[in-house]
Amino acid sequence: MHAQDLLLPLLPWAVANLFVLGLALVVREPLRVGHRRLDLLTLGFLHIFLTTLVVMLCGLAGWLDRMPIFLVSLAGLLTGWAWHRLRGPHPANPWSQLRRGAAALGKLRPLALITASQRPWTGVFLLLLILIQAVRLAVHVWYLPPYVWDVLSYHLPRVAEWVQHHGLVIFDTPVARSFWPANHELFQSWFVLFPHHDFLIDAADIPFYLLAAGSVYSAARSLGLNRRLGVFAALLYAYTPAVALHATACKNDLAIAAIYLFVLALLLDWRERSTHLRRRLVLIWLALCLAVGTKATIAFLVPGLLVVAFQGLRARREVEPEPASRSPRRTLGLAAAGAAGLLIGGFWYLRNLAVFHNPFHPTSFRLFGRLIFGTGSGLEQQGSLSLTSLVRDLDLLLHEKIFDFRDAFTAELHEITGWGWFVFCCGWPILVYGILRERRVRWLAGCFLLSLACLLAAVSPDPWNMRFALWFPALPALSFALVIGRLRIPALRRTFYLLAMACLALNLLGTLDIGRLSPAVWKAMAGMGVAERSTAKLGLYIGGSYGRALATVPPEEVLGFNVNPNGWIYPLYGADYSRRIRYVPIDPVTEIPAAMRQRGVWYLFVSRPFPQELEQVEALLSRGGLQKIGDGLWVRPGA
């Protein structure tokens, strides 16, 4: 496969994106809340939501392929163009909305940060920070294939199977977590469907990254900060190592953080202006439904958001009431929003209920100690509030993880928070001061801390659980901007700015790499063509056995595999998803050659992270008559 074979399909992908953007503009029209910054965030969220919904509907219909999606998108755009030419502009016409959006885009002033102040150097500095982060993201997307352990174990294998089978199939796998909600994987599929290659899949989290940072900016403006302080707060959050690394990590935790902050921005704007409550409720409904179908942890974050909603009720001012219209168009719109939310939020749970008789499979669900769903022996997640877990998680956070010294900054966040230099050096002291002296910081901290407490009480203490709290660094970022904005001593204000900038520089240095790669690996990836790069060639964690197996087995052969319940699967598909693979169980009572024949495979790849475990498995394979022909690669008799 050559580079042009990857780039040419991006043209129909651009058509499909243009059509979805037009639909997002149409849907946004009745949901505008009147602030340009929030309306722009709403457009970004709706584009994510509708893209996910389109992929889900195509997957259910068996049309999960670039050609059907391209033809439908092209037909939609041409129909909108003809309608626009014959009848003129209309708010329900995607083509009309795209023309209107293009006109509005031409009126934007990206250099306003420089020209709108007597101190343009600060605007130049902010734009430079944005540019530096954009370059870092581009380098990671272009040169690095997927690399995070969980991503290769159960997140992306779902994408690969859907792309290969053109639908939302259920496949045989030893990794039970493959059956958890998968809205994020639907959105990721959009980035590989057209090129049929994963060279852009690391970019799938960048829309969520922008939504999260934009929501922090909107929150800052709603709290009374000027444009530059709002941008600075957003950059303080965006440069947080855990957040920046997750922007290209293919994990779903940043999606939850973005939705949490988007809902927060909606509520803070409502607290400020008390307008368009119904529209905000529709958007919050859609956002929470998208989050529930992505990761159930969003349920434990909602109590903190209720604090902001309560503040909005207390601060609500008398405004002109919204018209109580019950027109068929409004009723139809509310019904469509309700149905779309139920589908995108409930599909995975209904599927698991139908297939496994447990909507939370593979997790057993208990209520007040009574088993409601599952067998009681499945993959256990706590899933309910526990004071013991809260105390233990807080102890780990305050005595170990918060110092970020146990490991390098990585997307796994092993025994660290990944909140970085700014939060530790500036954020915490300013937050404590703000809670004592600044009312806005006080109740905002109540929102975040309540969400954090509920989260820590609901998840089991483990070395990696701080990835669930990627939204939390927005609190010290906003608190810093709120307190600094009130300082009246110029020298002190400049000192804090310089300290924050130094922390941003250190955070950037800590995220130039992903915390796992040597310069030699970077050089090797940079020396490959874009079509050649793949996770199998990265050689991370387990060496190069995956790449050697793919190079040995003929491309037309179906490759059998066996990994442990947390093992890597995704590298076996190949970066272009050309390799068909089948899971082959291995245990003392299974006749392995017969199991391979039943699945139509001659070759079996076996991987285990621990040598002793691998020796036990290889002994079973040898007794079964298989012959070892490579590192982890076996062939059954008669091949």
Side-chain angles (χ1 to χ4, degrees), residues 314-491:
R314 289 186 59 190
R316 192 173 183 183
R317 296 180 295 274
E318 292 296 328
V319 297
E320 184 178 347
E322 297 183 56
S325 170
R326 295 185 180 180
S327 66
R329 180 179 297 178
R330 170 171 290 191
T331 302
L332 181 63
L334 289 175
L342 287 174
L343 176 62
I344 213 163
F347 169 75
W348 305 108
Y349 301 95
L350 291 175
R351 181 206 64 178
N352 286 348
L353 180 63
V355 176
F356 304 107
H357 309 293
N358 174 11
F360 307 101
H361 179 83
T363 301
S364 297
F365 178 73
R366 290 180 173 86
L367 190 62
F368 302 113
R370 180 182 177 186
L371 184 66
I372 306 298
F373 291 108
T375 63
S377 59
L379 180 64
E380 294 301 324
Q381 292 289 317
Q382 187 172 294
S384 59
L385 301 179
S386 165
L387 183 60
T388 302
S389 293
L390 174 60
V391 172
R392 177 59 179 152
D393 276 324
L394 282 175
D395 180 66
L396 289 172
L397 172 62
L398 298 176
H399 291 92
E400 294 182 15
K401 295 182 180 181
I402 199 172
F403 298 103
D404 285 344
F405 69 88
R406 292 279 187 175
D407 200 356
F409 290 137
T410 67
E412 289 94 345
L413 300 180
H414 179 251
E415 296 186 334
I416 62 174
T417 62
W419 293 346
W421 290 88
F422 168 77
V423 172
F424 187 79
C425 297
C426 300
W428 286 119
I430 288 288
L431 176 61
V432 172
Y433 175 84
I435 290 174
L436 296 175
R437 301 296 299 271
E438 176 64 49
R439 179 175 174 273
R440 292 172 298 175
V441 174
R442 195 175 302 126
W443 62 259
L444 189 65
C447 160
F448 279 83
L449 292 174
L450 179 58
S451 289
L452 183 65
C454 292
L455 175 68
L456 296 181
V459 298
S460 301
D462 68 46
W464 306 278
N465 60 19
M466 291 314 297
R467 70 186 187 277
F468 301 143
L470 295 182
W471 42 270
F472 189 82
L475 172 61
L478 289 169
S479 301
F480 182 87
L482 286 168
V483 171
I484 293 301
R486 294 287 297 271
L487 284 179
R488 294 293 178 262
I489 305 174

Side-chain angles (χ1 to χ4, degrees), residues 98-326:
L98 285 172
R99 286 174 58 92
R100 180 180 173 185
L105 190 63
K107 297 178 181 178
L108 290 179
R109 297 184 299 152
L111 298 181
L113 280 175
I114 299 176
T115 60
S117 173
Q118 297 178 349
R119 291 175 293 188
W121 65 269
T122 57
V124 172
F125 177 76
L126 293 175
L127 290 175
L128 183 62
L129 287 176
I130 295 172
L131 178 61
I132 290 172
Q133 193 61 245
V135 171
R136 190 198 70 84
L137 293 173
V139 169
H140 281 221
V141 169
W142 188 253
Y143 288 109
L144 292 182
Y147 61 88
V148 178
W149 192 290
D150 285 353
V151 166
L152 306 178
S153 177
Y154 70 95
H155 286 290
L156 292 187
R158 295 186 274 198
V159 174
E161 289 287 337
W162 298 342
V163 170
Q164 286 187 346
H165 293 89
H166 310 300
L168 305 184
V169 297
I170 296 177
F171 56 98
D172 198 11
T173 173
V175 184
R177 290 178 292 172
S178 299
F179 304 105
W180 278 345
N183 279 351
H184 188 249
E185 286 77 6
L186 292 175
F187 188 70
Q188 288 174 314
S189 299
W190 186 254
F191 288 75
V192 301
L193 277 173
F194 286 83
H196 218 275
H197 195 283
D198 69 2
F199 78 104
L200 283 179
I201 199 167
D202 283 351
D205 277 313
I206 292 179
F208 292 104
Y209 182 66
L210 296 176
L211 179 64
S215 297
V216 173
Y217 170 77
S218 180
R221 298 301 305 276
S222 297
L223 290 168
L225 298 176
N226 61 37
R227 180 182 298 175
R228 294 195 179 191
L229 275 174
V231 172
F232 193 55
L235 287 170
L236 290 174
Y237 174 76
Y239 269 75
T240 303
V243 177
L245 287 171
H246 273 79
T248 55
C250 295
K251 291 175 69 69
N252 57 14
D253 300 288
L254 185 57
I256 298 299
I259 292 171
Y260 178 90
L261 294 172
F262 175 62
V263 173
L264 176 70
L266 286 170
L267 291 173
L268 286 174
D269 186 70
W270 176 66
R271 175 185 175 275
E272 178 192 11
R273 302 199 306 149
S274 302
T275 58
H276 302 300
L277 177 59
R278 295 175 190 170
R279 299 180 183 186
R280 298 173 198 273
L281 289 176
V282 171
L283 287 171
I284 291 172
W285 160 257
L286 295 177
L288 292 181
C289 286
L290 179 63
V292 166
T294 300
K295 201 161 195 165
T297 52
I298 187 66
F300 304 110
L301 308 183
V302 171
L305 295 172
L306 294 178
V307 172
V308 183
F310 178 71
Q311 281 291 328
L313 287 173
R314 289 186 59 190
R316 192 173 183 183
R317 296 180 295 274
E318 292 296 328
V319 297
E320 184 178 347
E322 297 183 56
S325 170
R326 295 185 180 180

